[in-house]
Amino acid sequence: MTDVSTNMRLKLPVTCLILEIILIILFGALVQYDHGTDAKEWHNGSHGDYNNDFYYRYPSFQDVHVMIFIGFGFLMTFLHRYGFSSVGFNFLIAAFALQWATLMQGFFHGMHAGKIHIGVESMINADFCTGAVLISFGAVLGKTSPVQLLIMAMFEVTLFAVNEYIVLSALGAKDAGGSMTIHTFGAYFGLMVTRILYRPNLDKSKHRNCSVYHSDLFAMIGTLYLWMFWPSFNSAITAHGDDQHRTALNTYYSLAACTLSSYALSSLTAHDGKLDMVHIQNAALAGGVAAGTAGEMMLTPFGSMIVGFLAGIISVLGYKYLSPILEEKLKIQDTCGVHNLHGMPGVLGAIVGAITASFATKEIYGDGLADVFPDVASGEIQASYQGVRQAISLAVTLGIALLGGLIVGFILKLPVFGAPPDTICFEDSIYWEVPGEEAAHHDDQLTTVRTEESEKLNS
Amino acid sequence: MTDVSTNMRLKLPVTCLILEIILIILFGALVQYDHGTDAKEWHNGSHGDYNNDFYYRYPSFQDVHVMIFIGFGFLMTFLHRYGFSSVGFNFLIAAFALQWATLMQGFFHGMHAGKIHIGVESMINADFCTGAVLISFGAVLGKTSPVQLLIMAMFEVTLFAVNEYIVLSALGAKDAGGSMTIHTFGAYFGLMVTRILYRPNLDKSKHRNCSVYHSDLFAMIGTLYLWMFWPSFNSAITAHGDDQHRTALNTYYSLAACTLSSYALSSLTAHDGKLDMVHIQNAALAGGVAAGTAGEMMLTPFGSMIVGFLAGIISVLGYKYLSPILEEKLKIQDTCGVHNLHGMPGVLGAIVGAITASFATKEIYGDGLADVFPDVASGEIQASYQGVRQAISLAVTLGIALLGGLIVGFILKLPVFGAPPDTICFEDSIYWEVPGEEAAHHDDQLTTVRTEESEKLNS
Amino acid sequence: MTDVSTNMRLKLPVTCLILEIILIILFGALVQYDHGTDAKEWHNGSHGDYNNDFYYRYPSFQDVHVMIFIGFGFLMTFLHRYGFSSVGFNFLIAAFALQWATLMQGFFHGMHAGKIHIGVESMINADFCTGAVLISFGAVLGKTSPVQLLIMAMFEVTLFAVNEYIVLSALGAKDAGGSMTIHTFGAYFGLMVTRILYRPNLDKSKHRNCSVYHSDLFAMIGTLYLWMFWPSFNSAITAHGDDQHRTALNTYYSLAACTLSSYALSSLTAHDGKLDMVHIQNAALAGGVAAGTAGEMMLTPFGSMIVGFLAGIISVLGYKYLSPILEEKLKIQDTCGVHNLHGMPGVLGAIVGAITASFATKEIYGDGLADVFPDVASGEIQASYQGVRQAISLAVTLGIALLGGLIVGFILKLPVFGAPPDTICFEDSIYWEVPGEEAAHHDDQLTTVRTEESEKLNS
């Protein structure tokens, strides 16, 4: 990998332009406005304009959108020399992935008479799929070229859509907030990719794989937006009414409980009791991941808090004790620790979802059962079997993610994508014009002159 | 205080874990979904899903949520060595306070057959109560341990709920945006706490009680989010329809007018006419505080702008002339100047509210009078008496805040909470693993090597 | 200009206070709550509270508000010594402009029986008008005093309202997202102003007209908020129902396509293939500008993507090749390159709008035609004539912007506003108390002491 030029002058433009032109052609051939977006279709009915789904999904969509671009983007700016790439590549691959996801998800569950119909719901789903890609990005952060990332996104979005179709449509599992389809899938896919891309000499870039004071503050912007808007994420595509309302509330309490257990464990596991920014930036979010499947169910605030509480503990322990083992023994170099934030909490969320589904009864859900578990409500299956569906879905997701990551990892190993050498990982200046800090220092000497001058003027 | 270890290894985890476990147990025993959140309850009626209160409160809730976590959190990052603590402790105590507030506010005005019912409205109220705690945090910023802050939050939330109950339920005052219950209460509570915790030798940490260039920019993120979303804050729990609409509009114009008067006074009170970031970051927000009570009333845009204009002037003058006096004469060390942003503007808002209420008539409000002043609309009381209620509420709020702050201040003085010594206040490294800036400098030397190397690669 | 004191102590306060007092008086005389905001009016009907327009416009309004204050404000923080002014003056002139715009726009299209009626829609329109002023601010960034900016805002808002009235009301053009009225107008107005204010010796400040690492990251906050919320911007005042829904969707795909072409061109035009932050921060947004007119039309996702794709290409090429020519040959010193982000993409958007309008048919729009092109739907005019209206509107906008900029430029040249001298442009310390970085360095030496001390404490 290291003997290949990292100059992107042809590789990146060609990749971007070809991908975008293909997207445009496919959109031209296949994509149409859906019923709520098309002028003729919408006016071809007797509903009021205020009943357009736009008003009941779009605010949630925008919250999700902020999570994707600001949340994920800034969360990864903690590296002190990789802020441009963190935010900038996040931006690039998200902008690509959401277009590609519109097509892929449309193929599998949005076709109407040979056309893909799109509107606010497909926009949310495309952002969700993009979220999985960004989770995988976290695992390989600092060690990949933008071309590799676009190629990875292309394959991962495709496999995401396949897995989502199997889990939600074929198996009939529920996973509104994506504990399985987004978090578990994105994490284990990314972990397998980073395993295949293992760099034995990565320690040569070790001094750049760390944060500085202000880069940690930038990362907190990402953390907080993810934390605040996670209730919108989990509830964005649940059924209208009590379902969205309940999902948001469950997620809110799961996150609050998770925050306290994360702080507790972060302090407890440090010999001097000092809090570690890595834990606060990441583990405090695990409660949102873990409420992704069961959030729409009658989990109760009590249950949500227990889930969040456990997720925070698991996540900090993962960062502290498991990540070093994974790196040393299994050769998994997981830059952002996505295994601790998305992997294990995602699996926890899937298990909680399976258990909660097993105990669904008409007595608890009333007529609302049809919204959450239609097959249970119709009497087609028992609640316990819904639990089995959920468990199978977790296994399928893990299988597709790991197998997919394996294949895609080997594709990304091809020495044509301009990956950085081991000695210059976690470094913006490979792919970006970087201004450096000198300007500021040079300027400090000018300050004296300037101040005198400006004092004259200010008199 | 100074002879006690600041090592948090046991204190902080034990406090967090015990508090969270108590919360979980109490939630399990007492808390239920409300009508709009419970699957069975919601489907047990004939309303459409689009009538769920979620759609008419949740966007406002998310704006408030951003104010609490990003707004307050980043506003306090202006200190150059206290950014982790500002954002991080803000995060911790907010996550705790919103859970505790759900219970405390539920006890006082949300009980149904022995259970506390929760949904989006209780979520907003919990965030509001959290806001008061964060205001108090601003007064003691840099001088307290996270354990002290959690203990303070526990007591303050409780007293907030008591005061809110007396003001809104027992006295029948109106205070939708919390000029009294949130801002006045939070400010005077915090000021009394910091008075009790007076540190005679705080000047030993003076060199750290200031900003640097980028810390001021981070703080502006907080300022602007508070400023932009304040219309949502004040209108978040007013009655639906014209009331929410009007409250948002009044607040918007109050803030705009306040911004101009803040800039004017900031420049006017500097000998060289230069703007002071402290004023811009804080005083420009006073218009939102001052519109907190009267915002839902028929204050008119004209009235709102006068209120905002005055609030900006008062606030800058407070920062410039009153704060130094309070510190020297009354020994009130108010780190963020909450007296100027929340204290005085809160009292102003309460007075404006009392006056505006006194002039409420059926002629001005029409049938809308019942939404804003139900007791006046029903003929039970005169509008002038509503004004008296408002005035009494201000007095009660001040009394409970000051007395509560006194007691809680003495509790926090107990030498077991790991408060920092006078010489190391406003300093993250006491409680956080801090990366330092060295990495960046060290790296500057590497840049040459790196650039050469990467130029080779880029050929 | 250079021989005049830059001391703002009297100029700025007097300007702010007089402007605000005039605003307050005019609001008192002329402004009233509209039907949805007034307690009496609203309750004087038989609509439910959930039908208040607040619920169908306010979430979009808040997104627009974030774009104005955070988006524009932080986008301009890329300059390494002008962050306070970028965010701070943006804040000041926006707070003024939105009040003044309420009056000016009200005069031209909001008068009811001699009164200006205001509510959420006027709030959005005021923010839109403010957006145009901030675009012009981008052209003169770093070279003007706050007093100049307020004067410019006063005139520009007035001319904006005149132009908007001519384009939308007199000519009957459509321009929901303001490709013409906001972006083209703001850009060419600002370009003419900066041409008139040409500084031959500006290269003396050249060393300050650049970014540092963290200032570019702050700017990305602005970029991403503009990018994410642009769908809300373009759809904020379109008709309810399918129109808002469609506009948001079109803008979303236009931006996504634009991002890929911007990255491609940025890398392609650099000799070493490295991405340039200036392009990413700006050109990736051109897709939103270019979808401003046609976004509400049946442009299709396919058409939107083509428009965005082209906009990104044009914008990067403008930054790379056209801006240096404009500066050298035409003496246009365009600090932020607004010609590339708002000027050319705005004209592109206007042209796309004219073409798309020409092809509007009842067959495509169904009964929705009346929402988008009422005069075409009523049979009053042909669709092709709507296209002509759009084209004339572009010409009118360009004319008013350039002529207005010419006059206002000469007004701003008057040597009484405290403009900075050529040697101290792009510099905060002229107008702000600036803390400097020394605190941090000074502190580094303290770290050793502190750490030892705290280690003792932590034992």
Side-chain angles (χ1 to χ4, degrees), chain A residues 48 54 66 89 125 132 160 166 168 178 182 187 204 220-221 229 322 335 338 371 398 416 427 454:
Chain A
F54 180 76
V66 171
F89 294 162
N125 277 317
F160 177 97
I166 296 174
L168 303 186
I182 302 168
K204 288 185 183 166
M220 280 303 287
I221 297 174
F229 289 165
L322 192 55
T335 312
V338 301
D371 281 352
L398 282 167
V416 295
E427 172 58 52
S454 84

Side-chain angles (χ1 to χ4, degrees), chain A residues 23 27 93-109 116 118 122-131 133 153-154 156-158 160-161 164, chain C residues 252-253:
Chain A
L23 283 168
F27 265 71
I93 60 178
F96 164 68
L98 64 86
Q99 297 177 78
W100 186 237
T102 306
L103 293 173
M104 288 298 116
Q105 295 179 314
F107 284 135
F108 286 104
H109 49 81
I116 294 166
I118 63 172
S122 74
M123 288 160 70
I124 295 170
N125 277 317
D127 270 28
F128 275 7
C129 177
T130 300
V133 177
M154 188 180 65
E156 185 170 358
V157 164
T158 312
F160 177 97
E164 189 186 40
Chain C
Y252 172 87
Y253 284 106

